[in-house]
Amino acid sequence: MKRCLVALTCCITLATTFAFAQGADEGYQMARVVAFEKVSANAQHMENSDQYKISMRLGDTVYACRASGPAANFLDWHEGKEFPANLNGKVLLVKSPNGQVVELTVVGKKTPK
């Protein structure tokens, strides 16, 4: 009886470990907001009213990015805040606190000398 209980406990522990391993954010690492600015709206093009300039530090590189989207996606964004991010070519995918993945278009990058 004890052996069955120990074996069952081990199986549950292994299953839980594998579940957490599969749920991990593969390829994501923490990125820090260096600068965050809402671009002022253009009266002639109101469809571009929710535009943002965001600089993110990922590792030793600072990426200058542009983004657009509803203000709700950027409510908790400010300098010094960290988010999980993944660089995918010219797009920086950032997971916001509300669980959505925000796409930032990379327009430039700087690395310290």
Side-chain angles (χ1 to χ4, degrees):
M1 186 70 177
K2 281 187 176 182
R3 285 184 180 173
C4 288
L5 187 58
V6 170
L8 181 62
T9 304
C10 288
C11 289
I12 291 172
T13 304
L14 285 174
T16 305
T17 304
F18 288 133
F20 276 115
Q22 288 179 351
D25 296 332
E26 291 185 24
Y28 281 83
Q29 54 185 329
M30 295 308 284
R32 182 182 304 269
V33 178
V34 176
F36 181 82
E37 175 185 353
K38 183 173 180 3
V39 178
S40 59
N42 185 344
Q44 294 176 347
H45 300 285
M46 291 307 291
E47 68 275 4
N48 296 335
S49 62
D50 292 330
Q51 298 281 326
Y52 301 90
K53 289 183 186 178
I54 305 167
S55 295
M56 301 283 291
R57 177 181 296 276
L58 186 65
D60 289 335
T61 306
V62 175
Y63 295 94
C65 304
R66 301 278 190 265
S68 63
N73 286 349
F74 301 100
L75 283 178
D76 199 25
W77 290 54
H78 55 81
E79 291 180 21
K81 183 80 175 181
E82 289 189 343
F83 299 102
N86 184 9
L87 184 62
N88 189 4
K90 288 285 188 177
V91 176
L92 188 63
L93 302 171
V94 180
K95 289 191 178 183
S96 63
N98 63 4
Q100 293 184 344
V101 176
V102 179
E103 292 185 11
L104 307 180
T105 304
V106 177
V107 294
K109 67 179 182 175
K110 293 181 183 178
T111 54
K113 295 179 181 178

